Amino acid sequence: MAAHAARPGAGGLTPADLPLVAVRQSEIDTWEQRYPGLADAWPLTPLQPGLLYQSALTGDGYDPYHVQLVFELAGPVDPARLRAAGQALLDRHPNLRTAFTGGASGDGIQLVVDGLALPWRDLDLRDRTAPDRDAALRAFLAADLADHFDPEVPPLLRMALVRTAPDASLLVLTSHHVLFDGWSVPLLTRELLALYRAGGAADALPRPPEYRDFLVWLADRDASASARAWADELDGVAEPTLLVPGLPADADRSGARRAEVPLTADLAAALPRRAAELG
């Protein structure tokens, strides 16, 4: 046994190592062949299957869950240091390194993969004329937005630094919404900046909460009681809410748009107060 364990390729995960999902050893062996850094297997949260399903329906078209965040950076930026910070951010959070696949039971599973390199691009436009620079930037952002992620190929996150002037740059963080929600964006941004200050040294930051602990807590919830609570909350709702009810039937519904809604001063002041009251 000791001699076998010492051989290259020996060992690996077993169903007992993955208590959050019901899998067979043959599935694990297949996953380990495809993902050499396989570290864990998790169930999906209730929202994640819907996000992945809606994305699959879009095909090559506009995917509202393919998220591109563009941050304006003032002052000189060290590309190598920023890339190291992004890599450290990816290394710190296992839920940013997941591949999404299906188990033999038909349930969706997310596989945590260690040892992934951050997809990174450094685009230097500083020597371009203003019109050429603006055109190149628009083309890059459009191509990046159209380059959808494959849920089975982690990570579903990438970064790019676009240098537009000696003291001005753009950080483009592109990801799939299935990885994190809007509340997490400022947390990740603060961590990224802290890691940049630390030169990518993750030990300079406190250990983050474990996303796996949330999944364990979620698995212990009474799903029937939750369904009944939401059914009671939505009782009487018979149709969707139309955000823009006056939109013409032949209007272009691809992409994101902004709708201007005029409000009185009193109503504009009352809205945030009511939002605060509702939490």
Side-chain angles (χ1 to χ4, degrees):
M1 220 173 181
H4 170 75
R7 293 173 185 161
L13 299 172
T14 69
D17 298 312
L18 309 174
L20 296 185
V21 294
V23 295
R24 297 192 295 264
Q25 185 62 51
S26 58
E27 289 180 88
I28 298 175
D29 294 342
T30 300
W31 293 340
E32 287 182 324
Q33 289 180 1
R34 183 171 185 185
Y35 307 105
L38 181 67
D40 206 348
W42 298 340
L44 302 186
T45 67
L47 187 61
Q48 285 178 318
L51 297 177
L52 294 169
Y53 176 73
Q54 293 288 343
S55 287
L57 290 180
T58 64
D60 295 331
Y62 172 74
D63 182 358
Y65 301 122
H66 180 87
V67 182
Q68 182 189 73
L69 302 172
V70 181
F71 301 94
E72 295 184 3
L73 307 179
V77 176
D78 183 338
R81 193 181 185 95
L82 186 58
R83 183 178 186 176
Q87 182 66 56
L89 185 71
L90 185 67
D91 295 340
R92 271 172 58 83
H93 296 282
N95 51 301
L96 299 181
R97 305 192 309 276
T98 50
F100 295 85
T101 187
S105 64
D107 294 331
I109 291 177
Q110 47 185 325
L111 305 175
V112 180
V113 184
D114 290 346
L116 295 179
L118 172 73
W120 169 266
R121 185 172 177 184
D122 183 1
L123 184 61
D124 192 348
L125 304 178
R126 291 175 294 181
D127 60 345
R128 306 281 188 94
T129 63
D132 288 346
R133 182 177 61 245
D134 293 343
L137 177 59
R138 287 195 301 270
F140 169 77
L141 293 177
D144 178 67
L145 196 59
D147 185 11
H148 295 174
F149 293 99
D150 180 346
E152 295 194 355
V153 181
L156 277 65
L157 176 149
R158 58 178 176 260
M159 292 185 187
L161 177 66
V162 183
R163 290 181 274 177
T164 57
D167 58 351
S169 304
L170 299 176
L171 171 64
V172 183
L173 170 60
T174 308
S175 65
H176 195 287
H177 191 36
V178 75
L179 293 186
F180 54 85
D181 60 8
W183 290 94
S184 303
V185 172
L187 302 178
L188 291 175
T189 304
R190 284 200 295 269
E191 276 200 17
L192 181 64
L193 295 176
L195 289 166
Y196 179 81
R197 288 194 297 270
D203 54 2
L205 275 64
R207 183 175 178 177
E210 293 287 343
Y211 187 79
R212 190 181 191 279
D213 293 342
F214 164 67
L215 296 175
V216 172
W217 171 84
L218 195 62
D220 290 337
R221 303 278 291 174
D222 186 335
S224 298
S226 296
R228 288 194 301 271
W230 280 108
D232 292 342
E233 184 71 22
L234 299 174
D235 185 33
V237 177
E239 61 184 2
T241 298
L242 297 178
L243 295 178
V244 190
L247 196 65
D250 59 349
D252 180 11
R253 285 170 163 77
S254 64
R257 299 291 185 271
R258 177 175 302 203
E260 298 291 343
V261 181
L263 300 176
T264 65
D266 290 342
L267 184 55
L271 276 174
R273 287 200 301 268
R274 182 58 175 158
E277 291 169 1
L278 295 174

